[in-house]
Amino acid sequence: MSKSKHYASRRTVLGLLAAAPAVLSSRVAFAEEPIKIGGIFPLTGGNSVFGNQNFQGVEAAIDLVNDRGGIKGRKIQLFKGDGNSPQAAISETNRLASREGVRIFTGSSTSAVGMVASQEAERNGAFYWEGMAVANNYTERDFKSVFRMGLSAAGLGQPAPLYAAEVIAPMLKIEPKNLKVAVIAEDSAFGVDVSKAAIDQAEKLGIKIGLRELYSAKSTDLSPLVLKLRSLDPDVIIATQFINDAILLQRQMKEMNYGPRAFVGTSAGHSTLSLAEAIGKDVNGIFSSSFPLEANVNSLSAEARADRDEFVKRYEAKYKVAPAVQESLGFVVGIALARDILAKAASDNAADLREASLKADVPVGSYINGWGLKFDDKGQNQRAVGSVIQWQGEKMVSVYPQANKVRDAIMVPLPAWNAR
């Protein structure tokens, strides 16, 4: 070898050795960069009760994952986006994407927020993990990087008439086909879709619907509706409401001394602690077709039981109250995204997260609410199922189906207002 070639070779080697620390340093820096997730929820305004409860659940899941070491050595950084309206959700999604570099989003508490936030995420080439928006057309938009782990409107609406036929009718000593049912709902996409799902399921069961009534969720007087209900005198009312109109209806029914023999909500206003805080013992006996509150311990995996115990302990220590439906749902959404998608994906870009989502095959009973994870080709989780809770002693307890049931139903028919 000539001297010139020898010296050139030495220079090349020395140059590579000098560059090695910089390359290693950049790889270490990348490994230490947090995985950024943006949470788009209504944190202020009329739906902030649900938004904050959902976000707190997601946050508890992310904190738990980080305390256990993060994802492949990287911590998760959770950003807040206040989607208190569709316009705000669009703005917040774009803000987090452009200013904070967020490429993964979760949400959304309401369909109005979820529909537009997921659209903006898709437009930005980001990944959207939905847990709460139930609009039936959410997964009908041919988006590539939007997945819904939670229920559709059908998943929320169908358990109500099923439970009425299987449990409430026998307790009332009435044949299901002879039940007199009224279906009422606020008139947003949520109310329309969920109430339609309840009606469709009731008709399949041979249950006749005596009243179908939509009203504005902004109504400040529901007494005309109460008069219609009194005139019909239904055995069961199935109601799709947000929190303010749910409270208003119960108060005005009591003021007018009217009550059905059974009342079944469909999540939202009837599956939040805020209802009991507002109407006290009058909440007792109300049912709600809902996202699951809990699952029978015998139906859960060992990991899910450990997650549940840790979640409840941490949540109670931080907020001084036991987590309920919305908080538990948020936790499930967060833990699934972190543990079963991010941890399994080749990277945290949208294409790899999509691939990991489509490959996900998590058995039923793997999450604290009894769910599993398996998506269809439209991005809808096929292992998310609705349940029914009942308010007993001003607390929610799971009564249906068997995999979620922890207590039997009581107070059917509903007693007088002064006996609850």
Side-chain angles (χ1 to χ4, degrees), residues 50-265:
F50 311 116
N52 283 287
Q53 290 171 345
N54 290 154
F55 183 85
Q56 289 164 5
V58 172
E59 186 177 46
I62 299 307
D63 288 346
L64 180 58
V65 169
N66 283 338
D67 290 346
R68 288 174 174 173
I71 302 297
K72 301 173 185 176
R74 299 170 67 190
K75 294 298 178 74
I76 298 173
Q77 186 176 4
L78 184 61
F79 292 82
K80 281 185 176 182
D82 185 7
N84 58 26
S85 69
Q87 294 75 20
I90 292 171
S91 176
E92 289 290 85
T93 303
N94 285 310
R95 177 183 69 82
L96 292 178
S98 61
R99 295 187 185 178
E100 304 294 347
V102 173
R103 312 304 294 168
I104 303 168
F105 291 90
T106 190
S108 306
S109 296
T110 71
S111 294
V113 169
M115 291 290 286
V116 296
S118 57
Q119 178 177 293
E120 289 305 298
E122 180 85 359
R123 188 178 65 81
N124 279 286
F127 180 83
Y128 205 95
W129 185 253
E130 183 62 67
M132 301 89 190
V134 301
N136 284 328
N137 62 342
Y138 188 93
T139 55
E140 301 293 330
R141 298 172 293 169
D142 198 32
F143 288 170
K144 301 303 180 186
S145 299
V146 176
F147 289 81
R148 178 163 61 188
M149 185 193 181
L151 299 169
S152 66
L156 274 187
Q158 290 171 349
L162 284 168
Y163 190 72
E166 295 177 24
V167 180
I168 294 175
M171 293 181 77
L172 293 175
K173 297 180 172 54
I174 300 174
E175 287 292 322
K177 65 180 181 181
N178 294 328
L179 278 176
K180 194 186 300 182
V181 176
V183 176
I184 62 173
E186 55 82 30
D187 61 1
S188 75
F190 168 69
V192 171
D193 283 357
V194 174
S195 62
K196 183 179 184 305
I199 290 168
D200 290 347
Q201 183 62 57
E203 291 176 344
K204 288 179 183 177
L205 296 168
I207 297 173
K208 295 177 182 177
I209 306 300
L211 174 69
R212 309 176 186 189
E213 187 80 8
L214 294 175
Y215 64 88
S216 171
K218 298 178 181 179
S219 297
T220 57
D221 181 12
L222 292 176
S223 59
L225 176 59
V226 176
L227 290 173
K228 287 184 180 181
L229 292 169
R230 186 198 295 278
S231 176
L232 177 68
D233 190 27
D235 300 305
V236 181
I237 293 174
I238 296 176
T240 303
Q241 302 180 290
F242 288 117
I243 185 60
N244 292 333
D245 47 319
I247 293 169
L248 178 63
L249 180 64
Q250 294 298 321
R251 286 177 172 168
Q252 290 196 306
M253 286 197 302
K254 183 177 182 179
E255 289 170 2
M256 299 171 73
N257 195 30
Y258 164 73
R261 283 167 278 286
F263 190 102
V264 186

Side-chain angles (χ1 to χ4, degrees), residues 324-364:
V325 170
Q326 302 297 336
E327 300 90 334
S328 298
L329 175 60
F331 179 84
V332 169
V333 168
I335 206 76
L337 173 58
R339 188 176 68 201
D340 294 310
I341 305 302
L342 288 169
K344 305 290 176 63
S347 77
D348 57 2
N349 68 48
D352 287 335
L353 294 173
R354 168 182 166 79
E355 183 178 358
S357 298
L358 291 173
K359 288 181 178 178
D361 189 0
V362 182
V364 169

Side-chain angles (χ1 to χ4, degrees), residues 6 10 36 53 73 92 108 135 202 207 234 241 264 276 286-287 292 301 319 345 383 399 418:
H6 176 71
R10 281 189 64 192
K36 296 179 179 180
Q53 290 171 345
E92 289 290 85
S108 306
I207 297 173
Q241 302 180 290
V264 186
I286 292 175
F287 294 99
S301 68
Y319 296 105
R383 294 177 182 166
V399 295
N418 62 4

